[in-house]
């Protein structure tokens, strides 16, 4: 994508492009957009990857997203996102692979300095013939899956330094009708961002870092059932399914930026008690842009940062992108310089997933690159063994 943008430019010099890439999303918006609304579009894109409006290099993601979305649009999986892993599992099965679901890997076994097998929580042991690719973050790999193994000191130190960003709050809605947007043009879009403005997003990010529940959190409204009706699973009762990703919120609550405001009592300092009133605050904010929304809500389910981490060990503190994407954990430094090419410091053990380059997102790039590295290493080792002469006895 970057090459296409680089060589396809017509009126932008290389030096200007380089300056844009290291800019913040606020600077990107001020450079190219005239209105506050357009500038907030770039800032909202940046917050997906932990780039608040004033964080250096935050312009990379919105630059690529806005450029390629304008060219090719955005794809969704018909019938729901779960259909994608199901299709991948079916493809592996056709190729002779075995896919385990609903089972948890408890440990990775390392013997003689090489990763040999995985052991599931039910005790089953699966031997690795060529290598193991782990998609958990580096801290989870070192501190959980390799907890009883000998881990090289640089790898352990990198795991201790790895940083997670602010949390995410998810709200899932079942609606009897489509969202009644005040601006009807929004009703045909699969995704709507409600910031509303750059300063609001900068403030909510700082609030989340300080442990404070934000008063104006960024809402990413996924109303994909307007373009894919098969996502509504209960026709006649729930005609539309909507999810709202709330960026950013604190993983651990220290206070509330809007005491006594929308959402009722948020004086609690635990997500087990704060999740429901915070969900009501989100619904109240959305209703400002979609009057009458409350009358369409058949039911809702909230997932706090604690719930997200409980469901996925990679999402520490509810960080939905499995680790900050700031420059010290981006590009060739994700998760660390010595581990940036997917091969770890343990022979036969490779690392992929959102905690490696290119980071969070449904792109499968890291998995493909890690698999290619494993295959090259495995073939090279076999080729090397064949070239080694057998000594006479």
């Amino acid at each position: 994508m970057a090459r296409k943008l680089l060589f396809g430019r017509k009126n932008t010099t290389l030096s200007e492009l380089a300056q844009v890439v290291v800019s913040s999303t606020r600077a990107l918006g001020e450079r190219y957009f005239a209105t506050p609304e357009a500038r907030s579009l770039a800032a909202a894109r940046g917050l997906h990857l932990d780039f608040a409006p004033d964080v250096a290099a935050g312009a990379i993601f919105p630059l690529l997203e806005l450029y390629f979305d304008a060219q090719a649009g955005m794809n969704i999986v018909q019938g729901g996102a779960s259909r994608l892993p199901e299709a991948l599992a079916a493809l592996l099965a056709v190729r002779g692979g075995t896919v385990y679901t609903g089972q948890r890997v408890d440990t990775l076994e390392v013997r003689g300095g090489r990763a040999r097998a995985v052991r599931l929580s039910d005790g089953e042991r699966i031997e690795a013939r060529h290598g193991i690719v782990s998609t958990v973050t580096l801290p989870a790999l070192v501190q959980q899956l390799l907890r009883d193994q000998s881990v090289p000191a640089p790898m352990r130190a990198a795991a201790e330094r790895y940083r997670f960003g602010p949390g995410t709050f998810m709200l899932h809605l079942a609606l009897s009708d489509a969202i009644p947007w005040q601006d009807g043009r929004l009703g045909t879009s699969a995704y709507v961002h409600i910031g509303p403005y750059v300063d609001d997003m900068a403030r909510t990010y700082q609030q989340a870092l300080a442990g404070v529940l934000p008063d104006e959190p960024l809402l990413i409204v996924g109303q994909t059932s307007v373009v894919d009706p098969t996502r509504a699973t209960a026709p006649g009762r729930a005609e539309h399914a909507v999810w709202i990703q709330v960026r950013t919120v604190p993983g651990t609550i220290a206070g509330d930026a809007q005491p006594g405001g929308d959402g009722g009592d948020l004086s609690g300092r635990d997500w087990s008690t704060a999740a429901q009133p915070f969900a009501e605050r989100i619904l109240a904010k959305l209703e400002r842009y979609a009057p009458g929304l409350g009358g369409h809500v058949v039911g809702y389910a909230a997932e706090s940062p604690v719930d997200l981490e409980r469901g996925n060990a990679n999402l520490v503190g509810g960080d939905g992108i499995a680790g900050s994407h700031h420059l010290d954990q981006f590009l060739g430094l994700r998760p660390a310089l010595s581990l940036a090419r997917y091969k770890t410091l343990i022979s036969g053990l490779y690392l992929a997933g959102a905690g490696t380059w290119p980071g969070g997102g449904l792109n499968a790039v890291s998995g493909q690159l890690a698999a290619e590295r494993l295959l090259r290493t495995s073939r090279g080792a076999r080729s090397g063994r064949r070239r080694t002469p057998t000594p006479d006895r």
Side-chain angles (χ1 to χ4, degrees):
M1 291 195 304
R3 281 197 298 269
K4 188 174 181 182
L5 179 62
L6 177 63
F7 296 111
R9 70 191 196 281
K10 294 181 179 179
N11 301 314
T12 305
T13 66
L14 184 59
S15 61
E16 183 181 1
L17 181 60
Q19 187 176 28
V20 168
V21 165
V22 297
S23 296
S24 66
T25 57
R26 185 192 295 271
L28 176 70
E30 291 177 349
R31 179 187 292 265
Y32 292 109
F33 300 118
T35 67
E37 291 79 10
R39 291 170 181 173
S40 70
L41 178 63
R45 294 286 188 181
L47 267 180
H48 278 271
L49 290 185
D50 189 36
F51 285 108
D54 299 300
V55 176
I60 296 175
F61 181 65
L63 178 67
L64 294 176
E65 274 285 297
L66 294 174
Y67 180 84
F68 289 104
D69 288 350
Q71 280 199 329
M74 296 180 67
N75 297 321
I76 65 170
V77 182
Q78 187 174 22
S82 63
R83 299 290 296 276
L84 179 59
E86 290 168 2
L88 292 173
L91 178 62
L92 285 171
V94 168
R95 297 296 183 91
T98 301
V99 179
Y100 292 77
T101 59
Q103 300 193 52
R104 190 179 187 87
V105 174
D106 184 66
T107 55
L108 298 183
E109 292 185 10
V110 178
R111 296 195 316 276
R114 181 175 181 81
R116 302 288 182 178
V118 299
R119 189 174 295 278
L120 304 182
S121 56
D122 64 2
E124 181 178 358
R125 183 178 181 274
I126 303 173
E127 188 81 20
R129 288 191 296 170
H130 303 294
I132 298 171
V133 179
S134 171
T135 57
V136 301
T137 58
L138 182 61
L141 175 65
V142 170
Q143 297 160 13
Q144 298 177 34
L145 301 187
L146 294 170
R147 61 185 180 278
D148 299 323
Q149 313 290 326
S150 177
V151 177
M155 189 169 162
R156 188 174 294 279
E160 293 173 352
R161 289 193 299 266
Y162 192 80
R163 293 182 299 100
F164 291 89
T168 297
F169 186 94
M170 293 296 302
L171 186 60
H172 303 271
L173 306 178
L175 303 180
S176 60
D177 204 347
I179 297 177
W181 295 105
Q182 191 169 34
D183 185 335
R185 293 172 297 179
L186 300 179
T188 60
S189 299
Y191 304 103
V192 177
H193 291 74
I194 300 177
Y197 295 109
V198 174
D199 285 340
D200 296 303
M201 287 179 264
R203 186 175 72 253
T204 196
Y205 186 80
Q206 290 303 319
Q207 289 169 339
L209 290 183
V212 175
L213 292 169
D215 54 340
E216 285 287 351
L218 168 64
L219 308 187
I220 304 157
V221 182
Q223 49 178 10
T224 48
S225 58
V226 301
V227 295
D228 177 16
T230 65
R231 289 175 173 238
T233 57
R237 183 166 181 265
E239 296 290 342
H240 286 277
V242 171
W243 53 258
I244 303 171
Q245 185 184 63
V246 185
R247 295 283 292 157
T248 54
V249 299
T252 302
I253 303 172
D256 180 19
Q258 190 185 6
D262 291 333
D265 183 13
L266 275 163
S267 59
R269 296 296 174 259
D270 189 284
W271 275 112
S272 63
T273 58
Q276 182 175 345
F278 189 68
E280 293 170 4
R281 173 175 295 178
I282 301 311
L283 289 173
K285 176 172 181 174
L286 183 54
E287 185 132 6
R288 299 206 307 265
Y289 298 86
L293 171 71
H296 296 330
V297 177
V298 175
Y300 69 82
E303 290 183 287
S304 73
V306 174
D307 297 321
L308 294 177
E309 182 176 356
R310 187 182 296 119
N312 186 337
N314 286 339
L315 311 185
V316 175
D319 178 6
I321 52 174
S324 173
H325 284 61
H326 292 182
L327 279 178
D328 61 331
Q329 290 188 170
F330 204 41
L331 301 173
L333 295 172
R334 189 169 186 86
L337 185 61
S338 60
L339 302 165
R341 294 178 62 82
Y342 307 106
K343 193 176 188 301
T344 72
L345 303 180
I346 297 174
S347 179
L349 180 58
Y350 300 79
L351 190 61
T356 63
W357 170 256
L362 301 177
N363 52 60
V365 172
S366 65
Q368 178 179 335
L369 295 177
E372 290 174 354
R373 182 81 191 272
L374 185 156
L375 290 172
R376 285 197 305 270
T377 304
S378 178
R379 289 166 181 162
R382 291 198 303 271
S383 176
R385 285 196 296 271
R386 285 195 296 269
R387 289 195 300 268
T388 302
T390 303
D392 295 332
R393 290 186 181 274

